[in-house]
Amino acid sequence: MGVALLKQSIDLGIVTANGEGMLHFYRDVLGFKYLRELPMPGIGAGVVMHQMLCGDSVIKLVVAPQLPTKAPPGPIAAASGYRYWTMTVSNLDEMVAACASAGITVALPRTEVRPGVSVAIVLDPDGNLVEFLTVS
């Protein structure tokens, strides 16, 4: 038996100590619709979650005052575990330009990965890989 989904999208949790920079990137640069801020006292003192919509998915930015560890930065194959996430967009060049204009690092400029499919990858303020994909 497989997963019996009640919702046809996923929610993505991103944990950070850089709440201001990460909110600016996801809410202001990428333009995700801000839903709410929720205190998370069961997780730890001072921890809050900011929820934003990316299509039908909810991006949950969990801000903690201090974090003991951080995933190693680098390209997709630099480490195991969750390394990147992908948004399929119709405005790939516009999104890369908006990120670059906001001082966001473009780790991989627009690249055709197979005929008719192009990707670009940027680094959010914590160094997480965010991939934009378009199909022509």
Side-chain angles (χ1 to χ4, degrees):
M1 176 178 147
V3 172
L5 294 175
L6 291 175
K7 177 176 138 180
Q8 296 302 308
S9 60
I10 65 164
D11 295 350
L12 174 66
I14 303 170
V15 180
T16 185
N18 180 11
E20 186 176 314
M22 295 287 276
L23 265 174
H24 173 70
F25 175 69
Y26 288 101
R27 179 191 59 208
D28 304 330
V29 177
L30 297 188
F32 293 171
K33 180 181 176 187
Y34 190 85
L35 297 175
R36 67 186 70 78
E37 176 181 327
L38 301 169
M40 306 288 292
I43 304 295
V47 177
V48 296
M49 176 190 294
H50 298 275
Q51 295 180 343
M52 295 164 277
L53 278 178
C54 174
D56 292 332
S57 296
V58 175
I59 305 304
K60 300 189 259 185
L61 187 62
V62 178
V63 182
Q66 294 183 326
L67 295 172
T69 61
K70 184 176 185 300
I76 290 171
S80 62
Y82 292 110
R83 297 293 297 162
Y84 69 103
W85 64 288
T86 304
M87 289 173 276
T88 302
V89 301
S90 62
N91 61 342
L92 176 67
D93 295 325
E94 181 181 313
M95 290 312 306
V96 172
C99 289
S101 293
I104 301 299
T105 300
V106 178
L108 178 69
R110 184 186 184 117
T111 302
E112 187 173 59
V113 292
R114 58 185 180 275
V117 178
S118 294
V119 301
I121 298 175
V122 300
L123 300 178
D124 75 10
D126 276 4
N128 300 307
L129 300 166
V130 178
E131 179 181 57
F132 301 108
L133 178 143
T134 195
V135 179
S136 56

